[in-house]
Amino acid sequence: YGSTQHIMPKTTTHLPSTTFGSSSPDITSLLDVEQAKGMASRALVEEELLKGNQGILVMADEGRRKQALKTVKKMQKAQIREKSSGGGAGGFGGGGATKKTKVAKKSKSYSYTARLDKDGFGSILINDGVARINNVLKKETVSDLRNYVDDVLEEEIAREAETTNSGSFARVLQPKNRWDLLLPLDTNDSVMKAMDELIGKENGSLNSILDSTVGEDGVLYELAALVSDPGSERQVIHPDIPFESEDSVSLVTCFFALQNIDETMGPTVYLPGTNTEYHHEKFNNRATADALLSETQSVLATLNAGDCSIYNPATLHCGSSNKSENRRAIFYFTFWNPTKDYPGTSNNPGSLRSELRTKPLTLKDLRKHISTWKANNT
């Protein structure tokens, strides 16, 4: 903590250590330990601040989705009128926000496209910064994918013990008993089967929300599994990326539960509506951060196996501590809106294996790849 800048990305480049301007591993390790202690202490303070206004992330019903869609369309029309009259572009999004600010919109930006949002969850994502959709993966697929993640994690932990950097993990906040495991795309049928059920051209369960927010030119930015074992510590609240815009998204991240997740297993905590300039300014100011957290609603993503939470990475969130006796495993992917600036940096490149980063795959590319895989496996 101790800084007015709270932005701490979910992952950074997987390195043995960060130098902090020193060549001494001992000094680096000590600084890492002290930083981790400081974040653990801050995380507990934040947990207390949120307790008075916390609920459960639920799937928006049809009525709420229709209302959100109307709200987004109305704001889009207002923005067009304002731009045509020579005014600035008024922002929208962050349905939970009590204050709004005008946000300069990037030219040629791919904004939310209502006609592609057939089930209305895209409008919930734009408004609230997070949405829940139930039963997006079949039970058999979830079971197969969970077994695969467990097997690969065991293998890679063993390999990591023998080499400095196996290239199979990204660093993650509060790493005790927590791993960000990079996954290959098509070396295992369970991953491809899941991708088919989620984004396959014919009947992908997430086609509506992804097509309406990042479009078919959206680029695969992350493909991994987040695993937290008993004893993993609570993370500090953070956005994965800085604030950029309220009227469109740079990234869309989708978390899929590979088992039922109850309140003791370290569910992700989201602060709906905080994907706004107002909330980021307040959060990044030490003088106002605590007041913001105490007055902002938070929700726990206590998902059932096969459910997902989908969020704008500019939305404030954190992983909570796993106080149970069970592992929590989440399969996830992120798509980047290529009309936005590339969000990756040397310290935060996105959790993606090197072979997938070398040749970027769009949503359209992936659908073709899935169709070919299906044809070869039937």
Side-chain angles (χ1 to χ4, degrees):
Y1 190 50
S3 168
T4 57
Q5 178 56 265
H6 289 215
I7 294 175
M8 299 177 183
K10 169 172 62 62
T11 60
T12 56
T13 306
H14 181 62
L15 299 171
S17 61
T18 307
T19 61
F20 293 95
S22 170
S23 60
S24 168
D26 292 337
I27 293 176
T28 298
S29 298
L30 182 60
L31 287 171
D32 282 342
V33 170
E34 290 303 311
Q35 184 183 45
K37 287 182 179 178
M39 287 195 293
S41 177
R42 174 60 189 171
L44 294 178
V45 171
E46 293 173 343
E47 183 177 19
E48 289 300 315
L49 290 171
L50 295 179
K51 278 186 175 179
N53 194 14
Q54 191 164 78
I56 301 297
L57 179 65
V58 298
M59 187 172 78
D61 60 26
E62 186 176 358
R64 183 159 174 259
R65 281 177 268 153
K66 286 182 178 179
Q67 184 58 48
L69 186 59
K70 290 180 181 179
T71 300
V72 173
K73 286 182 176 180
K74 183 178 179 180
M75 290 183 175
Q76 282 184 321
K77 289 179 180 178
Q79 184 182 65
I80 292 171
R81 287 196 300 270
E82 187 170 3
K83 289 182 70 177
S84 64
S85 65
F92 68 93
T98 56
K99 296 186 179 181
K100 297 293 176 186
T101 56
K102 292 184 178 181
V103 181
K105 181 182 177 184
K106 266 184 172 290
S107 61
K108 298 182 181 179
S109 172
Y110 183 96
S111 188
Y112 166 78
T113 306
R115 64 181 176 79
L116 298 177
D117 190 11
K118 295 179 172 57
D119 55 23
F121 287 109
S123 63
I124 295 293
L125 178 64
I126 294 294
N127 271 302
D128 296 351
V130 60
R132 174 175 179 162
I133 307 179
N134 296 335
N135 301 314
V136 296
L137 285 173
K138 297 176 182 177
K139 294 186 183 299
E140 180 184 0
T141 304
V142 169
S143 178
D144 290 345
L145 195 51
R146 171 59 191 267
N147 290 335
Y148 173 66
V149 168
D150 286 344
D151 290 344
V152 174
L153 179 62
E154 183 178 351
E155 293 172 4
E156 295 303 330
I157 288 176
R159 184 179 303 173
E160 189 83 353
E162 299 175 357
T163 181
T164 304
N165 181 9
S166 69
S168 295
F169 294 100
R171 290 181 67 184
V172 63
L173 286 177
Q174 298 306 97
K176 178 184 176 183
N177 294 355
R178 181 181 274 119
W179 300 271
D180 193 357
L181 175 65
L182 310 184
L183 296 177
L185 176 63
D186 53 9
T187 59
N188 184 273
D189 285 349
S190 62
V191 174
M192 289 300 295
K193 187 177 180 182
M195 296 297 278
D196 178 37
E197 293 177 15
L198 297 168
I199 63 170
K201 183 177 181 179
E202 296 177 1
N203 56 2
S205 55
L206 298 188
N207 284 351
S208 174
I209 192 169
L210 291 175
D211 287 341
S212 65
T213 54
V214 298
E216 64 176 9
D217 291 327
V219 177
L220 183 67
Y221 181 77
E222 295 183 302
L223 180 67
L226 280 173
V227 180
S228 60
D229 275 354
S232 61
E233 298 176 313
R234 185 185 180 92
Q235 296 175 329
V236 291
I237 294 170
H238 61 279
D240 292 337
I241 56 174
F243 168 81
E244 184 183 31
S245 173
E246 291 178 12
D247 73 327
S248 56
V249 294
S250 297
L251 298 172
V252 174
T253 296
C254 309
F255 279 2
F256 309 98
L258 299 186
Q259 69 293 298
N260 293 346
I261 302 173
D262 64 32
E263 294 184 22
T264 69
M265 292 174 65
T268 306
V269 181
Y270 295 103
L271 280 65
T274 56
N275 53 314
T276 69
E277 186 175 28
Y278 167 77
H279 287 91
H280 277 237
E281 286 180 351
K282 294 292 185 181
F283 181 70
N284 291 333
N285 186 336
R286 220 172 11 174
T288 57
D290 285 3
L292 175 73
L293 295 180
S294 65
E295 68 187 20
T296 301
Q297 183 189 23
S298 62
V299 291
L300 302 177
T302 49
L303 307 174
N304 292 321
D307 295 349
C308 74
S309 59
I310 303 176
Y311 70 99
N312 175 349
T315 302
L316 300 180
H317 65 282
C318 70
S320 57
S321 57
N322 189 339
K323 301 174 182 178
S324 73
E325 297 181 354
N326 302 305
R327 166 173 289 177
R328 185 200 72 153
I330 287 176
F331 170 64
Y332 76 98
F333 56 63
T334 299
F335 280 91
W336 163 51
N337 176 352
T339 66
K340 299 288 188 178
D341 290 338
Y342 182 72
T345 65
S346 59
N347 284 333
N348 185 23
S351 301
L352 194 66
R353 289 174 66 97
S354 58
E355 68 269 20
L356 295 174
R357 195 183 309 280
T358 303
K359 186 178 181 181
L361 293 169
T362 66
L363 187 56
K364 185 177 181 180
D365 293 333
L366 285 166
R367 286 170 176 158
K368 291 180 179 178
H369 189 66
I370 291 168
S371 295
T372 300
W373 172 82
K374 288 178 69 176
N376 293 335
N377 287 271
T378 54

